[in-house]
Amino acid sequence: MYNEHFGLKEQPFGLTPNTSYFYNVRAYREAFNMLRVALSNGEGFIKVVGEVGTGKTLLCRKLLNSLGDDYYSAYIPNPFLSPVALYKALAEELGVKCKTRDGVNEFQKSINERLIELVAEGKRVVLVIDEAQTMPEKTLEALRLISNLETETSKLIHIILFGQPELDRILAQHELRQLKQRITFSCQLTPLDKEGVSSYIQHRLNTAGYHGEQLFHNNAVALLAKASRGVPRLINMLCHKSLMCAYGKGVRQIDRVHVLAAINDTEDASLPNPFMRWLWSMSS
């Protein structure tokens, strides 16, 4: 509703992961490059960990979109599955016809045969699992067994786990030490600092077609950085609501008053009470 008012071609702060808005800040660039290098080197297990809202799914989609014709990708976004259900999901992603009566052994055999076919065609097979921290322990062990599939010279499948910090705590369990030892590359997505928040906001505005003067006042950006804790998803929510507030008042620059209104309307955004009171007194 506010695009025309602010001179935007599209909404810049949507919550749906959109790879055209991928922010090439150092942490994300390093993570993306690490993933590409690890895959090109034929590594079996790779792990990416980040807090809620730090951009794991966006990075995941960016990676999948960047893979060329020499890759065959399988994607499992909701891995809260039993071992049999995991094998069935992977088989379906690989184009293997599944029978309702098939069990673990049948799925393993079919998956192995299909992987050998794909590798013979010159494909590198990549399995990407999002929200990996939701996987039951037995399913993680089944995943390890899948990673055992290999020829004399290379792995038949490369597995990338995207998950929240709980994933590290799960993998630290003694029972999963074999899986943990298989992870050859790992990285962590961290929240943005104040400068990063400012650049992130400007990047998304530019991508959405904004070419005017500074849209978010410096004091608004500082407040956004503090209230969002540098988490991209929260930044998007607060910026979107701030733009709506400014649009409703008919103004063309966002300042701390609009951001404060957005903060009050966003459950996960917060400020230390003394700081909040001081800002309210300054804006009144």
Side-chain angles (χ1 to χ4, degrees), residues 3 6-13 18 20-24 196-216 236 239 243:
N3 288 349
F6 291 110
L8 297 162
K9 294 181 180 178
E10 59 187 25
Q11 185 180 327
F13 299 106
N18 183 341
S20 64
Y21 282 88
F22 182 76
Y23 181 43
N24 200 26
V197 171
S198 178
S199 299
Y200 174 85
I201 292 171
Q202 193 58 49
H203 163 72
R204 294 192 72 99
L205 289 171
N206 292 342
T207 304
Y210 184 74
H211 299 294
E213 297 181 359
Q214 183 178 358
L215 185 53
F216 282 78
N236 285 3
C239 285
L243 287 168

